[in-house]
Amino acid sequence: TESTAGGKVESGFIKNSQPSSLLTKREVARYLNCNERHVTYLLNEKKCLPYLKEGALVKIRYEHLQKYIDKLPPKNLSD
């Protein structure tokens, strides 16, 4: 269990108590079950996730991540 800006990361999922918390690329990668390189791709190439810069750190708002996830097509579980 690790602490984040507004919640805890347990087994790769963020249990968030504050909907406006800021997440790192590592936390977003754990939430999406992908690597940080893919999160960088989403930020810089696809530009589908807005982000903030705090010095060298990139932060993604939890609500922006949720909006991105809500727009994803549903997974086909029969494959």
Side-chain angles (χ1 to χ4, degrees):
T1 303
E2 298 176 29
S3 293
T4 66
K8 293 183 178 183
V9 177
E10 293 181 13
S11 305
F13 292 99
I14 299 168
K15 295 190 176 187
N16 198 311
S17 60
Q18 297 176 354
S20 64
S21 64
L22 297 173
L23 307 172
T24 64
K25 286 196 291 186
R26 178 174 289 171
E27 292 166 336
V28 172
R30 287 182 181 158
Y31 195 82
L32 295 175
N33 195 27
C34 66
N35 58 36
E36 288 182 57
R37 191 172 178 183
H38 183 70
V39 175
T40 300
Y41 169 76
L42 294 174
L43 297 173
N44 298 329
E45 300 296 323
K46 293 204 62 169
K47 301 193 185 299
C48 55
L49 270 174
Y51 62 93
L52 304 168
K53 295 266 301 188
E54 288 182 1
L57 291 176
V58 172
K59 300 282 187 149
I60 297 99
R61 287 193 187 277
Y62 179 78
E63 62 263 21
H64 291 156
L65 178 59
Q66 274 308 133
K67 286 179 187 175
Y68 167 73
I69 292 169
D70 291 342
K71 290 180 184 177
L72 291 175
K75 274 190 170 182
N76 187 355
L77 299 177
S78 63
D79 289 342

